[in-house]
Amino acid sequence: MAIPHSFDGVLDKAQATLDDAIGSMGAAVATLASHARGEERIDTVNFPVEETLVREAVELLDRWKSLALSLVKDLDRVTAEADLQHRRRFDENAGFEDASLLRRKLARGPMKPEAIMTDLDVALSASATLNLLFKQARPALSRCFHDCEIHLEGVIKRRRKLDFEIEEVQRDADAVIARITSLRRSLPSTFHPDAHPELGEDYRDLLAEQDEIRKRERRLQSDRTMRQRLIDIYEGLAGVLNAQIAAVGAMAGKLTVDIEQRIALLKALALEVDPPSLAAARPAAVESLIQAFESNVLAGHDLAARKAHVDFVFARRLEPHLLPAPAEVEETSDDTQPEG
């Protein structure tokens, strides 16, 4: 079973990684905000730095998600083992459906209720901390996503404006070409600039205007290309943030139901021991979870079905490779239900 405080190190690492990820993501979005304001030349953007900033933010978010995912799964395994140990107190055949698991349990022998409760207290304490991390992560990531979307709109509007400016320049270029062609056709085959100075000046002016239009179009096209590159970078960031928010939602939803399962199991075990001696040693965070459970009239209701649903949503969102084949999923899936 779990060793007391065995989750503390991972939780501390998850907290530090989340803080770093939120800070890095905030810096990336703030950088985008400076581009969204406006009319500045995009060639002032240091794209290697921008891409590195975004990549580091994404890597930190992935690291945070991996840590949180591992914690949710490890806590679930502790609960499953505690549940098995509790069932073995009344059914010595419990666990025979998984021989390898049973061998590990039998090697240690049946656990006393007090020992099972101690492990559940450790799991609940870690759950309380992880729950706070999810409550910190979700609004922070949602805020970053919202800001990223707003700033992206500004950059996209600027790129669209460049599209119109390029079209206008191209129309001007077509008009100048038409005037040059018309002037050339009107000139006699024996035309010499010295003989017709006024026509030669018009021709040179048109060529100079054409050259200036081409230079302007090249600048606009370069600006548009760079602006589109910026959009691609931050659209990818927005996609990552959206996926992270969905992942946090799935993990938090599972953790909520798993906490109910732990408390329900804890209460069942409490009937077999002297509760005051154990309750007195519980952390305030665990007591807070238990009080919230007791004050919620729906807590523990239809727990098995709700647990099955959140586990499926969790696997579909975060571990799709562990889902059964599509044909089997269709028979058991309840995709029409909200993901909570």
Side-chain angles (χ1 to χ4, degrees), residues 127-149:
S127 299
T129 303
L130 184 58
N131 190 45
L132 291 176
L133 287 182
F134 287 146
K135 288 181 178 179
Q136 175 188 353
R138 186 148 39 180
L141 294 177
S142 297
R143 185 167 54 251
C144 283
F145 176 76
H146 178 70
D147 292 345
C148 188
E149 287 281 280

Side-chain angles (χ1 to χ4, degrees), residues 202-218:
D202 289 344
Y203 188 69
R204 283 191 292 271
D205 288 345
L206 286 173
L207 291 178
E209 184 178 353
Q210 184 185 46
D211 186 58
E212 184 59 33
I213 288 174
R214 286 173 176 169
K215 289 180 181 178
R216 185 183 173 197
E217 183 179 0
R218 283 195 296 270

Side-chain angles (χ1 to χ4, degrees), residues 146-164:
H146 178 70
D147 292 345
C148 188
E149 287 281 280
I150 290 176
H151 301 327
L152 260 177
E153 288 179 6
V155 180
I156 291 171
K157 285 180 181 178
R158 174 57 184 154
R159 192 216 52 200
R160 288 174 179 167
K161 184 178 179 182
L162 287 169
D163 290 340
F164 290 127

Side-chain angles (χ1 to χ4, degrees), residues 40-87:
E40 85 282 0
R41 288 283 300 161
I42 201 69
D43 56 13
T44 61
V45 177
N46 190 336
F47 278 99
V49 173
E50 299 259 338
E51 289 167 346
T52 299
L53 181 65
V54 171
R55 183 172 62 253
E56 289 176 350
V58 170
E59 288 174 354
L60 283 168
L61 277 178
D62 285 341
R63 200 176 307 160
W64 139 253
K65 184 176 75 172
S66 178
L67 288 168
L69 176 63
S70 295
L71 279 166
V72 171
K73 291 166 62 178
D74 288 345
L75 288 167
D76 199 16
R77 280 192 286 269
V78 170
T79 308
E81 190 171 336
D83 180 63
L84 177 60
Q85 289 288 356
H86 181 241
R87 287 189 289 116

Side-chain angles (χ1 to χ4, degrees), residues 327-340:
E328 298 178 22
V329 173
E330 289 177 3
E331 296 175 3
T332 59
S333 170
D334 48 355
D335 280 349
T336 56
Q337 298 184 29
E339 296 187 1

Side-chain angles (χ1 to χ4, degrees), residues 167-189:
E167 290 177 3
E168 184 179 348
V169 168
Q170 289 173 342
R171 284 194 295 269
D172 292 344
D174 292 340
V176 170
I177 290 173
R179 288 162 60 193
I180 290 174
T181 302
S182 176
L183 181 58
R184 283 174 177 170
R185 288 173 179 173
S186 67
L187 296 175
S189 58

Side-chain angles (χ1 to χ4, degrees), residues 193-258:
D194 293 336
H196 303 276
E198 72 287 351
L199 293 177
E201 186 66 26
D202 289 344
Y203 188 69
R204 283 191 292 271
D205 288 345
L206 286 173
L207 291 178
E209 184 178 353
Q210 184 185 46
D211 186 58
E212 184 59 33
I213 288 174
R214 286 173 176 169
K215 289 180 181 178
R216 185 183 173 197
E217 183 179 0
R218 283 195 296 270
R219 287 195 300 269
L220 290 173
Q221 289 285 10
S222 176
D223 200 2
R224 188 197 181 282
T225 299
M226 295 297 100
R227 195 73 65 166
Q228 184 59 52
R229 182 179 175 183
L230 189 68
I231 290 170
D232 292 341
I233 293 172
Y234 285 98
E235 279 185 337
L237 179 62
V240 168
L241 281 167
N242 190 41
Q244 288 283 341
I245 292 167
V248 170
M251 289 189 289
K254 175 173 170 53
L255 181 65
T256 298
V257 177
D258 287 354

